[in-house]
Amino acid sequence: MAGIDPFPRSYAKGVRLRRRSQRVPGEAGGAAGTLADLEAWLLGEALAVGDVLDFFEAFCWRMAAAMPAFERASLHVGTLHPQIYGFAWNWEAGDGICDEIQVAEDILATDAYRRSPIFAVIERGEAFDRMIDEDTSAHYPLLRELGQLGYSHYMALPLTAAGGTGGGGQHNLVSLATRQPGGFTETERAGIDRLLSILALHVARHIDRRISANLLDAYLGPAAGGKVLQGSIRRGVGEEIDAVIWMSDLRGFTDLSARLPGPAMTALLNAYFERLAGAVIAEGGEILKFMGDGVLAVFPQGEGAASAALRAARAALAGIAALNEAPPAAVAGARDIWAPLRTGIALHEGTVFFGNVGSAGRLDFTVIGPAVNTASRIEALTKELGREILISQAAARDLDVPLDDLGEHRLRGVAEPVRLFSPKG
């Protein structure tokens, strides 16, 4: 759930601007019309709008055309995601901008969130409906800012139709504001209430899909998650792609698992994976699987894929070195057991099948093929050869950095010897 209703267009720490639109009323729809026209649109054409930003922007312009007192609005929704609390869309007639923002979980601990008029709406589903005066301005910093800009009335209303709560039980809401003397009239308020009951159904539809996308991204990765959401769910459905394959493994994992308690081992693995996965994602790679202590990732082939994979590998090793120096509190007292962490990373280029494999009732979206097996065998040699990064000739040919030539090596299950390289230094 978005935790701050910011104004003007500056956002607090933990709130990230994702997208911005500034379509004029004719482009967004709703250059003219009545509340009845807007209701008809909600029950008809709006069902074909697949993007929340486009939908909310069009709704706001149509609302402003039908009710000139309507000058500012925001939509706040919760989601299910390990790091994201929710999303919001902020629109204002004056600048014609509609922003989509993302709010991190840590926003919940801030004073700005707890002193926002939307706090009680999000947490308890309680409607907020106040005229903006000295008393409300003293209690709510947002309303003080709005009052200074000439606003007279602010409402934050829960969307209570079916699906009115977002991920994690937070209440979805819409806020509305006007500069009209005396605020929204009783007639306007009745029209707003009627429209919001329909709007709530649209929001539920959009948010269900967004939650599905977030969960698929978190568990499968954006590329695989997107394919599943688009309908690639049948066993055997997929495609062949050329990619640089990343295979890495934490050394001594079995021994660590036996010596560290479960919670400490989990904390250590999370910190370790955060360094590796963060490095891969920062360079455009796709994490496909965490396998115990191992990571399988791909960098889809294109200009610079091998260089991106090598930069990610170096960044991951730097991250692990930093982790060894400054471990999380949960394992800092057990450094004599686990420190230092070491890993081996293999990079290999080849053609893989990217798609669904498994049984009829339990599928996995992953990559398979001889190139994946080769990458796994190369990674197994990192300890034997005393190198943290090993690169096959297939991947090395696209690199323009100094490399040590380690010669040809026989790999178990691979017919031909593979020439291996490692970064100098």
Side-chain angles (χ1 to χ4, degrees), residues 99-119:
D99 281 349
E100 177 178 285
I101 61 173
Q102 172 183 304
V103 182
E105 280 280 350
D106 55 11
I107 203 73
L108 304 181
T110 65
D111 187 58
Y113 170 63
R114 296 188 174 277
R115 295 186 64 193
S116 168
I118 67 173
F119 173 77

Side-chain angles (χ1 to χ4, degrees), residues 147-164:
Q148 292 169 351
L149 293 165
Y151 283 90
S152 61
H153 189 188
Y154 178 90
M155 299 188 296
L157 308 174
L159 294 174
T160 55

Side-chain angles (χ1 to χ4, degrees), residues 310 314 391 395-397 399-405 421-424:
L310 180 55
R314 283 173 159 160
I391 308 166
R397 65 190 176 193
L399 295 173
D400 187 21
V401 297
L403 299 173
D404 288 331
D405 187 340
F421 297 82
S422 186
K424 284 185 178 292

Side-chain angles (χ1 to χ4, degrees), residues 8 12-13 70 121 156 258 296 321 336 391 410 424:
K13 182 180 179 180
F70 177 82
V121 192
L296 171 62
D336 58 322
I391 308 166
R410 286 281 182 183
K424 284 185 178 292

Side-chain angles (χ1 to χ4, degrees), residues 80-405:
L80 288 176
H81 191 280
Q83 294 178 308
I84 301 171
Y85 189 51
F87 299 90
W89 293 263
N90 298 321
W91 173 89
E92 198 210 353
D95 58 17
I97 291 174
C98 190
D99 281 349
E100 177 178 285
I101 61 173
Q102 172 183 304
V103 182
E105 280 280 350
D106 55 11
I107 203 73
L108 304 181
T110 65
D111 187 58
Y113 170 63
R114 296 188 174 277
R115 295 186 64 193
S116 168
I118 67 173
F119 173 77
V121 192
I122 292 173
E123 300 292 334
R124 300 187 293 273
E126 298 174 0
F128 183 98
D129 185 349
R130 302 279 184 88
M131 298 301 294
I132 299 176
D133 53 27
E134 290 186 8
D135 182 57
T136 55
S137 295
H139 285 84
Y140 301 101
L142 170 65
L143 299 191
R144 181 170 60 251
E145 294 176 11
L146 292 180
Q148 292 169 351
L149 293 165
Y151 283 90
S152 61
H153 189 188
Y154 178 90
M155 299 188 296
L157 308 174
L159 294 174
T160 55
T165 56
Q170 309 100 313
H171 290 268
N172 300 330
L173 69 96
V174 166
S175 77
L176 310 91
T178 182
R179 290 184 175 92
Q180 180 172 263
F184 291 108
T185 67
E186 289 298 319
T187 300
E188 289 168 338
R189 176 59 192 268
I192 289 170
D193 288 344
R194 178 176 177 84
L195 290 172
L196 292 193
S197 66
I198 305 173
L199 179 70
L201 298 174
H202 279 277
V203 171
R205 172 175 66 90
H206 283 289
I207 298 317
D208 282 348
R209 182 174 179 86
R210 184 173 287 264
I211 287 174
S212 297
N214 287 339
L215 290 175
L216 287 170
D217 284 357
Y219 283 92
L220 297 181
K227 289 180 179 296
V228 170
L229 199 59
Q230 292 166 13
S232 297
I233 57 174
R234 294 195 310 276
R235 183 169 51 167
V237 171
E239 60 181 320
E240 284 193 340
I241 64 169
D242 292 324
V244 174
I245 303 151
W246 162 305
M247 189 75 72
S248 62
D249 196 55
L250 177 63
R251 293 175 183 169
F253 174 68
T254 302
D255 180 58
L256 284 178
S257 298
R259 299 172 65 195
L260 276 178
M265 190 69 228
T266 299
L268 188 62
L269 274 179
N270 284 340
Y272 166 76
F273 283 138
E274 184 174 345
R275 272 64 176 183
L276 265 69
V280 169
I281 294 169
E283 292 293 344
E286 178 87 1
I287 300 288
L288 296 179
K289 197 182 299 294
F290 296 107
M291 305 167 292
D293 62 324
V295 175
L296 171 62
V298 292
F299 294 77
Q301 192 55 265
E303 186 176 353
S307 295
L310 180 55
R311 286 195 302 271
R314 283 173 159 160
L317 293 177
I320 293 170
L323 173 61
N324 286 328
E325 291 297 320
V331 294
R335 290 175 61 96
D336 58 322
I337 296 177
W338 62 264
L341 290 182
R342 299 190 183 279
T343 193
I345 301 172
L347 304 177
H348 176 55
E349 181 183 318
T351 301
V352 295
F353 176 79
F354 184 43
N356 282 301
V357 296
S359 68
R362 176 63 174 88
L363 296 172
D364 188 16
F365 210 103
T366 187
V367 291
I368 58 173
V372 179
N373 298 333
T374 299
S376 178
R377 303 302 184 219
I378 294 172
E379 189 283 320
L381 285 178
T382 57
K383 184 175 182 180
E384 179 181 328
L385 296 178
R387 301 290 180 131
E388 292 178 306
I389 302 174
L390 289 180
I391 308 166
S392 71
Q393 185 171 18
R397 65 190 176 193
D398 294 326
L399 295 173
D400 187 21
V401 297
L403 299 173
D404 288 331
D405 187 340

Side-chain angles (χ1 to χ4, degrees), residues 4-63:
I4 298 177
D5 196 356
F7 195 90
R9 299 302 173 96
S10 61
Y11 297 106
K13 182 180 179 180
V15 178
R16 182 172 72 87
L17 176 64
R18 287 168 53 96
R19 294 186 295 162
R20 170 168 288 178
S21 180
Q22 197 171 15
R23 295 182 296 167
V24 299
E27 294 174 338
T34 65
L35 290 180
D37 294 330
L38 176 51
E39 183 174 338
W41 177 77
L42 285 171
L43 294 172
E45 294 176 30
L47 294 169
V49 182
D51 182 87
V52 185
L53 177 61
D54 291 344
F55 166 77
F56 189 63
E57 184 180 33
F59 170 82
C60 288
W61 281 122
R62 290 172 183 272
M63 187 78 170

